[in-house]
Amino acid sequence: MNGAALAEKIARHIRAEGRLSIAAFMAMALHDPDHGYYARRDPIGRAGDFITAPEISQIFGELIGLCCADWWQRSGRPHPVILAELGPGRGALMADFLRAAGRLPEFRRALRLHLIETSPLLRAEQERRLPAAEPRFVAGFDELPPGPMLLVANEFLDALPIRQLVRGSAEWGERLVALDPDSRFVFTQGPESPALSMLVPPSLRMLPPGSVVEICPAAAALAASLGERLARSPGLALLIDYGYFPSAPGPTLAALRDHRPVDLIEEPGSADLSAHVDFATFAAAAEARGAVAHGPVPQGRFLSTLGAEARLATLSARASAEQCAALEAGLQRLIDPAEMGTLFKVLALTSPGLPAPAGFEQSSPPAVSMNPA
């Protein structure tokens, strides 16, 4: 079935139940089991709709692996330890992570890989790419087995469904998705409500009329679950995404198809939908349940502190001129403030009493190294 089938399915829902929140529209557009965006395609890479850091440079996943190995060493070397990735994409980050983990055989032997993935297409690619790691697949974070944990999430939070709240004359209302007389999807405004006002971060509640604030209930729920787990069991979570800190107003929801922006609601299921991450709200929700938050720090600074340039030099030493240029361009894209270096940020959550991971202070390179290659 094509995208028109999903559009009609959503339209029927609106006719029967009334206007949809943007979060509900996103959930159907992205995750409908028959026609949703992630059910129908592998969206990542130059042939897809967007490209992520692990697909740009192997150095990204390697340094994440070294960061986790170093933290594991300084946190009691638990064995076994659950290694979990939220939204593993095509498995590139984890493949590079595990190659770096091989520099510390004791650490590599301790890892029990669990991938949190709902897309059948992406699961098949992850299985193909990571057979030696014997990944176990689960549908959600709460399905992970108990015990010490290392969790990585790269560009996962930005795809969680968001709600858009709009400041009215007295209170806040919600932007909704409705149908016009010609059965086309349109945005409309719901009634103002004191209850909706309470969902806005306190620092933003008194913005002028017309202001927009995005909230992400799914991210808040995940942060709470992470906080509870880290409070009762040792662990580290690294969350890398584009977003802002502190909380800020403004609509950021965007749709991408073939690496270009398109209309948000015109053809549901045919484009990626994502929004900037509110790192301050996420960190606060995790800390409220017992985790300790570190950062966020800019991605460029994080990777540089972990030794990105030294790793580039090692790889370049045995590469052709063309390969050297590609390696350098890839890393530059990840760390340049004008590209991904500043907009993308890294947040770490740890259990109370355990150290901050390397990369969260300028003077904290990891003790484990990929050099020499």
Side-chain angles (χ1 to χ4, degrees), residues 312 327-337 339-341:
L312 173 64
L327 286 165
E328 184 172 354
L331 181 60
Q332 188 68 14
R333 184 172 175 183
L334 297 185
I335 66 176
D336 189 335
E339 297 197 54
M340 299 171 69

Side-chain angles (χ1 to χ4, degrees), residues 153-217:
N154 179 62
E155 290 199 53
F156 176 81
L157 298 178
D158 65 272
L160 296 178
I162 59 101
R163 298 168 68 181
Q164 286 187 342
L165 305 181
V166 183
R167 172 73 165 160
S169 57
E171 301 287 352
W172 290 75
E174 183 163 10
R175 182 169 288 162
L176 304 170
V177 179
L179 292 171
D180 70 8
D182 296 320
S183 292
R184 293 175 299 196
F185 296 115
V186 293
F187 287 118
T188 186
Q189 189 66 26
E192 297 177 30
S193 161
L196 289 173
S197 297
M198 294 300 293
L199 299 178
V200 178
S203 63
L204 304 178
R205 282 181 195 157
M206 299 312 295
L207 291 170
S211 299
V212 176
V213 167
E214 292 174 338
I215 62 171
C216 187

Side-chain angles (χ1 to χ4, degrees), residues 67-252:
C67 178
C68 288
D70 172 74
W71 186 88
W72 176 83
Q73 281 188 306
R74 294 186 290 116
S75 302
R77 299 172 180 251
H79 188 121
V81 59
I82 301 299
L83 172 59
E85 185 176 3
L86 289 166
R90 302 176 68 240
L93 187 156
M94 194 49 62
D96 296 332
F97 181 115
L98 293 171
R99 183 171 59 256
R103 304 292 296 182
L104 193 64
E106 183 186 357
F107 173 61
R108 180 64 186 86
R109 287 193 296 269
L111 299 175
R112 303 294 183 268
L113 180 60
H114 288 69
L115 301 178
I116 302 166
E117 179 61 70
T118 59
S119 165
L121 290 175
L122 291 177
R123 277 194 181 194
E125 177 62 16
Q126 293 152 18
E127 285 187 310
R128 185 196 68 78
R129 200 162 194 168
L130 302 166
E134 299 180 346
R136 297 168 177 84
F137 291 94
V138 296
F141 172 77
D142 292 335
E143 295 183 21
L144 291 174
M149 177 190 73
L150 296 166
L151 180 137
V152 179
N154 179 62
E155 290 199 53
F156 176 81
L157 298 178
D158 65 272
L160 296 178
I162 59 101
R163 298 168 68 181
Q164 286 187 342
L165 305 181
V166 183
R167 172 73 165 160
S169 57
E171 301 287 352
W172 290 75
E174 183 163 10
R175 182 169 288 162
L176 304 170
V177 179
L179 292 171
D180 70 8
D182 296 320
S183 292
R184 293 175 299 196
F185 296 115
V186 293
F187 287 118
T188 186
Q189 189 66 26
E192 297 177 30
S193 161
L196 289 173
S197 297
M198 294 300 293
L199 299 178
V200 178
S203 63
L204 304 178
R205 282 181 195 157
M206 299 312 295
L207 291 170
S211 299
V212 176
V213 167
E214 292 174 338
I215 62 171
C216 187
L222 174 62
S225 294
L226 272 168
E228 291 171 357
R229 176 162 180 146
L230 292 171
R232 67 175 183 263
S233 184
L236 163 68
L238 290 175
L239 303 116
I240 309 103
D241 227 309
Y242 53 91
Y244 43 84
F245 182 88
S247 298
T252 68

